[in-house]
Amino acid sequence: MHHVGHCEEQCVASILENHETTCWGCGLHLLLETYSSIFKCGWCGAITHRNKALRKPDSACFSHWRLVRDRFFVTILLFFILFVICAGVWAVYPIVFSVSYFCGIFHCTLTAILSISTISSFCMAAFRSAGAPTNILWGSYPSVAKGDLENYTFCTYCAKPKPPRAHHCRSCRMCVLDMDHHCPFIGNCVGAANHRFFVAFLISVIISCIYVVLMMLYAGFHTWPPLELRTLGSTGFHTVSGTRLAKEIVAALASSALLLSARGLVLIYLAFACLTVGIGLSVLLCQQLYYIFEGNTYINHINSQNGWRGEKGFQNLLRFFGCPYLVFKVLPGLANAGKSQDTSGSKLL
C-alpha cells in the first residue's frame, strides 16, 4: 500500500507540473509539459502566442488620416501621369509631325500604347483587392477538423485567424495574403492579388519615362535657341582651357534658356521630372524582382525572425509573371538555377 500511494503521489505531481491552456483555433484544452509562450496545437495546427499583447483598434482619427494621406498621394500620381501625357503631346508632337506624317503617327501610336498600359496597370493595382484571406471556421472543436488551421496565427486587429505569410495592414484595416508592403501612391496594399499588376505598373512607368526623356531631348535639340559663345568666337577653341570652355557653355545655356518659349520650358521640366522618377522607380523595381527571385516579400524580409522563405531561383520569376509551363520545360536549367530550400523557414515557432 505504501508503494502504491507513493506512485499515486508521483503521478499527481507530474500532472500538476504540466501547464494547462486552451487553443484559440479549435477550443481544445491542451496540456503542455513545460510553460511556453508560443506553441502549436496538435489537432488543428494553430499557433498560439500567449504573451502577445492585445492591441486596441486604431482610433477614428488615425484611420481617417491614413485614408486622406493615401487619397492625396493617389491624386498627385494620377495628376502627374495625365500631365506628362498631355504636356508631352502638346510640346513634342508638332515637332515630330514636322519631320514626317509617318513619324508622327508612329509616335502617337506608341504614346497611346504606353499611356493605356500605365493607366490600366495602375488602376488594377490601386483599385483591386490586394488579397483578402478566405473565411474559415474556428473556435470550436466539432467544426474545426484536423489540420484546418495549420500554421495559422490569431490577428488581434481583425480578431480572427490569420493565414501563413499574411500580415495585417492598419491602413487597409484587413489582413493581406502575401503582403509585400502598403504603397500610399496607389492607396492600396501590394499583395497576392495585385502584386503582378504593381510590378507591371513599375515596368510601364519606367519605359514611359525613358521614352519621354528621349523625346524631350530630341524636341529640345530642335527648339533650343542657338548658343552664342562670344569669347570663344574671337580666340578659338584651341587656345581656351577646359574650365573656361565649360563656363562659357554653361553661361551660353543660361542666357539662351531665358529666350525659351513655353513649349521649351515644358520640355525641360518633363525631361528632368521623368529622369528622376525613372531612376527612383528603377531602384524599386530591382528590389521587387530581387525579393520575387528570393521567394520572399519585403515585409517578410524586414521581419526575418518570422519570415518564410521558399525556393530561390528564376522559377519564381517565371511563375510570378505567369509564364506557360512550356517555358519551364524548355529552360530547365534556368528555372532551377539558384534553387535552394531554406529549411529554417518551416520552423514557425
Side-chain angles (χ1 to χ4, degrees), residues 1 7 24-25 113 163 243 259 279:
M1 293 292 294
C7 290
W24 65 264
I113 293 174
T243 304
L259 304 176
I279 293 175

Side-chain angles (χ1 to χ4, degrees), residues 54-66:
L54 294 178
R55 299 177 180 177
K56 296 181 180 179
D58 295 328
S59 64
C61 293
F62 180 81
S63 301
H64 181 69
W65 152 248
R66 285 180 175 255

Side-chain angles (χ1 to χ4, degrees), residues 110-278:
L110 187 57
T111 299
I113 293 174
L114 291 176
S115 300
I116 294 173
S117 173
T118 301
I119 295 176
S120 61
S121 58
F122 170 80
C123 292
M124 294 299 291
F127 305 117
R128 178 178 178 142
S129 174
T134 57
N135 293 325
I136 188 171
L137 296 176
W138 65 283
S140 59
Y141 165 70
S143 60
V144 179
K146 185 174 179 61
D148 278 357
L149 299 173
E150 186 67 26
N151 294 330
Y152 274 64
T153 55
F154 187 77
C155 179
T156 56
Y157 281 109
C158 300
K160 63 181 182 180
K162 181 171 65 175
R165 289 176 62 91
H167 296 273
H168 183 88
C169 177
R170 297 173 66 186
S171 296
C172 299
R173 296 194 293 180
M174 60 177 287
C175 289
V176 178
L177 293 172
D178 284 338
M179 177 179 172
D180 187 83
H181 68 286
H182 180 87
C183 180
F185 288 98
I186 65 172
N188 196 8
C189 279
V190 178
N194 67 343
H195 198 173
R196 186 184 301 174
F197 297 109
F198 179 74
V199 173
F201 171 66
L202 294 180
I203 295 174
S204 180
V205 171
I206 292 171
I207 295 175
S208 299
C209 286
I210 295 174
Y211 172 71
V212 169
V213 170
L214 293 177
M215 293 302 297
M216 297 305 111
L217 293 177
Y218 175 80
F221 178 78
H222 287 80
T223 59
W224 197 278
L227 301 181
E228 296 183 3
L229 303 176
R230 300 175 182 177
T231 306
L232 299 179
S234 58
T235 59
F237 288 94
H238 300 287
T239 60
V240 179
S241 63
T243 304
R244 185 180 176 185
L245 177 62
K247 290 181 179 179
E248 288 287 342
I249 294 176
V250 172
L253 287 173
S255 61
S256 61
L258 299 175
L259 304 176
L260 282 174
S261 61
R263 180 173 281 108
L265 294 176
V266 170
L267 291 175
I268 294 176
Y269 171 77
L270 290 179
F272 280 101
C274 291
L275 181 63
T276 54
V277 170

